[in-house]
């Protein structure tokens, strides 16, 4: 776990290793709430929401997150996936601006989730075994 500190820009410089769950240093960080770069250099960007939609600005995502992050950790730009985590039963619509990247909606049962490791993320080892 990497809990970033400082400004939003400072926080983006702090993930320096793979397989670490990164949380931005500011609560209103644009577009995402967390990120994870797996051992294969795939970047997962996570947005938690209880809404049916969520604003997403592709330009800000690219210039304020992806480009600066690339200076500190290696990831495959074509392997960026945005995960929208929503309560089960929510009919979430992926924002058009986010569809430049691979996107998935992950519905969860909020009554049984107590910690991040309980979430059904594709990058968690138990979810990648056949």
């Amino acid at each position: 776990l990497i809990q970033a500190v400082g400004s939003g820009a400072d926080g983006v410089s702090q993930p320096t290793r793979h397989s670490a769950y990164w949380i931005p240093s500011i609560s209103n960080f644009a577009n995402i709430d967390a990120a994870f770069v797996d051992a294969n250099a795939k970047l997962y960007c996570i947005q938690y929401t209880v809404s049916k939609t969520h604003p997403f600005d592709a330009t800000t995502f690219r210039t304020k997150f992806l480009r600066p992050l690339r200076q500190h950790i290696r990831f495959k730009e074509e392997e960026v996936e945005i995960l929208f985590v929503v309560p089960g039963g929510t009919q979430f619509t992926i924002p058009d601006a986010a569809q430049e990247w691979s996107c998935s909606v992950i519905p969860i049962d909020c009554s049984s989730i107590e910690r991040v490791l309980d979430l059904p993320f594709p990058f968690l080892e138990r979810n990648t075994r056949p």
Side-chain angles (χ1 to χ4, degrees), residues 6-19:
S7 69
D10 292 338
V12 174
S13 69
Q14 293 166 17
T16 57
R17 67 182 193 277
H18 292 132
S19 301

PDB file of all heavy atoms in Angstrom, residues 6-19:
ATOM      1  N   GLY A   6       1.495  14.969   0.154  1.00  0.00           N
ATOM      2  CA  GLY A   6       1.791  16.195  -0.575  1.00  0.00           C
ATOM      3  C   GLY A   6       0.666  16.561  -1.527  1.00  0.00           C
ATOM      4  O   GLY A   6      -0.472  16.123  -1.363  1.00  0.00           O
ATOM      5  N   SER A   7       0.990  17.346  -2.529  1.00  0.00           N
ATOM      6  CA  SER A   7      -0.005  17.765  -3.520  1.00  0.00           C
ATOM      7  C   SER A   7      -0.353  16.594  -4.435  1.00  0.00           C
ATOM      8  O   SER A   7       0.301  15.545  -4.394  1.00  0.00           O
ATOM      9  CB  SER A   7       0.550  18.913  -4.366  1.00  0.00           C
ATOM     10  OG  SER A   7       1.596  18.426  -5.201  1.00  0.00           O
ATOM     11  N   GLY A   8      -1.368  16.778  -5.268  1.00  0.00           N
ATOM     12  CA  GLY A   8      -1.724  15.738  -6.234  1.00  0.00           C
ATOM     13  C   GLY A   8      -0.557  15.375  -7.130  1.00  0.00           C
ATOM     14  O   GLY A   8      -0.286  14.206  -7.385  1.00  0.00           O
ATOM     15  N   ALA A   9       0.172  16.396  -7.604  1.00  0.00           N
ATOM     16  CA  ALA A   9       1.345  16.155  -8.458  1.00  0.00           C
ATOM     17  C   ALA A   9       2.438  15.426  -7.688  1.00  0.00           C
ATOM     18  O   ALA A   9       3.087  14.522  -8.229  1.00  0.00           O
ATOM     19  CB  ALA A   9       1.862  17.476  -9.017  1.00  0.00           C
ATOM     20  N   ASP A  10       2.652  15.791  -6.424  1.00  0.00           N
ATOM     21  CA  ASP A  10       3.648  15.097  -5.598  1.00  0.00           C
ATOM     22  C   ASP A  10       3.279  13.623  -5.459  1.00  0.00           C
ATOM     23  O   ASP A  10       4.127  12.745  -5.546  1.00  0.00           O
ATOM     24  CB  ASP A  10       3.720  15.704  -4.189  1.00  0.00           C
ATOM     25  CG  ASP A  10       4.281  17.112  -4.163  1.00  0.00           C
ATOM     26  OD1 ASP A  10       4.999  17.498  -5.109  1.00  0.00           O
ATOM     27  OD2 ASP A  10       3.982  17.827  -3.187  1.00  0.00           O
ATOM     28  N   GLY A  11       2.006  13.371  -5.233  1.00  0.00           N
ATOM     29  CA  GLY A  11       1.543  12.007  -5.017  1.00  0.00           C
ATOM     30  C   GLY A  11       1.771  11.090  -6.201  1.00  0.00           C
ATOM     31  O   GLY A  11       2.075   9.914  -6.041  1.00  0.00           O
ATOM     32  N   VAL A  12       1.641  11.625  -7.423  1.00  0.00           N
ATOM     33  CA  VAL A  12       1.823  10.807  -8.631  1.00  0.00           C
ATOM     34  C   VAL A  12       3.270  10.341  -8.762  1.00  0.00           C
ATOM     35  O   VAL A  12       3.543   9.313  -9.364  1.00  0.00           O
ATOM     36  CB  VAL A  12       1.367  11.578  -9.891  1.00  0.00           C
ATOM     37  CG1 VAL A  12       1.683  10.817 -11.160  1.00  0.00           C
ATOM     38  CG2 VAL A  12      -0.130  11.859  -9.813  1.00  0.00           C
ATOM     39  N   SER A  13       4.204  11.042  -8.149  1.00  0.00           N
ATOM     40  CA  SER A  13       5.612  10.654  -8.244  1.00  0.00           C
ATOM     41  C   SER A  13       5.989   9.558  -7.255  1.00  0.00           C
ATOM     42  O   SER A  13       7.092   9.035  -7.299  1.00  0.00           O
ATOM     43  CB  SER A  13       6.511  11.871  -8.003  1.00  0.00           C
ATOM     44  OG  SER A  13       6.430  12.278  -6.651  1.00  0.00           O
ATOM     45  N   GLN A  14       5.076   9.165  -6.378  1.00  0.00           N
ATOM     46  CA  GLN A  14       5.439   8.256  -5.296  1.00  0.00           C
ATOM     47  C   GLN A  14       5.310   6.760  -5.588  1.00  0.00           C
ATOM     48  O   GLN A  14       6.007   5.969  -4.964  1.00  0.00           O
ATOM     49  CB  GLN A  14       4.679   8.661  -4.033  1.00  0.00           C
ATOM     50  CG  GLN A  14       5.173  10.020  -3.566  1.00  0.00           C
ATOM     51  CD  GLN A  14       4.290  10.680  -2.542  1.00  0.00           C
ATOM     52  OE1 GLN A  14       3.460  10.058  -1.909  1.00  0.00           O
ATOM     53  NE2 GLN A  14       4.453  11.973  -2.386  1.00  0.00           N
ATOM     54  N   PRO A  15       4.466   6.326  -6.522  1.00  0.00           N
ATOM     55  CA  PRO A  15       4.495   4.887  -6.839  1.00  0.00           C
ATOM     56  C   PRO A  15       5.761   4.562  -7.630  1.00  0.00           C
ATOM     57  O   PRO A  15       5.948   5.069  -8.730  1.00  0.00           O
ATOM     58  CB  PRO A  15       3.253   4.657  -7.693  1.00  0.00           C
ATOM     59  CG  PRO A  15       2.510   5.937  -7.734  1.00  0.00           C
ATOM     60  CD  PRO A  15       3.397   7.002  -7.207  1.00  0.00           C
ATOM     61  N   THR A  16       6.624   3.755  -7.057  1.00  0.00           N
ATOM     62  CA  THR A  16       7.895   3.438  -7.717  1.00  0.00           C
ATOM     63  C   THR A  16       8.128   1.935  -7.841  1.00  0.00           C
ATOM     64  O   THR A  16       9.184   1.520  -8.280  1.00  0.00           O
ATOM     65  CB  THR A  16       9.075   4.060  -6.944  1.00  0.00           C
ATOM     66  OG1 THR A  16       9.036   3.585  -5.595  1.00  0.00           O
ATOM     67  CG2 THR A  16       9.008   5.573  -6.975  1.00  0.00           C
ATOM     68  N   ARG A  17       7.140   1.146  -7.467  1.00  0.00           N
ATOM     69  CA  ARG A  17       7.311  -0.310  -7.588  1.00  0.00           C
ATOM     70  C   ARG A  17       5.996  -0.944  -8.041  1.00  0.00           C
ATOM     71  O   ARG A  17       4.921  -0.406  -7.800  1.00  0.00           O
ATOM     72  CB  ARG A  17       7.782  -0.917  -6.270  1.00  0.00           C
ATOM     73  CG  ARG A  17       6.783  -0.858  -5.155  1.00  0.00           C
ATOM     74  CD  ARG A  17       7.357  -1.438  -3.859  1.00  0.00           C
ATOM     75  NE  ARG A  17       6.354  -1.674  -2.865  1.00  0.00           N
ATOM     76  CZ  ARG A  17       5.871  -0.754  -2.040  1.00  0.00           C
ATOM     77  NH1 ARG A  17       6.325   0.476  -2.094  1.00  0.00           N
ATOM     78  NH2 ARG A  17       4.948  -1.064  -1.151  1.00  0.00           N
ATOM     79  N   HIS A  18       6.126  -2.086  -8.680  1.00  0.00           N
ATOM     80  CA  HIS A  18       4.951  -2.833  -9.127  1.00  0.00           C
ATOM     81  C   HIS A  18       4.303  -3.552  -7.949  1.00  0.00           C
ATOM     82  O   HIS A  18       4.908  -3.719  -6.899  1.00  0.00           O
ATOM     83  CB  HIS A  18       5.335  -3.844 -10.208  1.00  0.00           C
ATOM     84  CG  HIS A  18       5.745  -3.187 -11.487  1.00  0.00           C
ATOM     85  ND1 HIS A  18       6.869  -3.536 -12.152  1.00  0.00           N
ATOM     86  CD2 HIS A  18       5.176  -2.202 -12.210  1.00  0.00           C
ATOM     87  CE1 HIS A  18       6.992  -2.795 -13.245  1.00  0.00           C
ATOM     88  NE2 HIS A  18       5.967  -1.972 -13.288  1.00  0.00           N
ATOM     89  N   SER A  19       3.067  -3.959  -8.157  1.00  0.00           N
ATOM     90  CA  SER A  19       2.310  -4.737  -7.170  1.00  0.00           C
ATOM     91  C   SER A  19       2.088  -3.984  -5.864  1.00  0.00           C
ATOM     92  O   SER A  19       2.125  -4.564  -4.792  1.00  0.00           O
ATOM     93  CB  SER A  19       2.983  -6.085  -6.906  1.00  0.00           C
ATOM     94  OG  SER A  19       3.074  -6.813  -8.116  1.00  0.00           O
TER      95      SER A  19
END
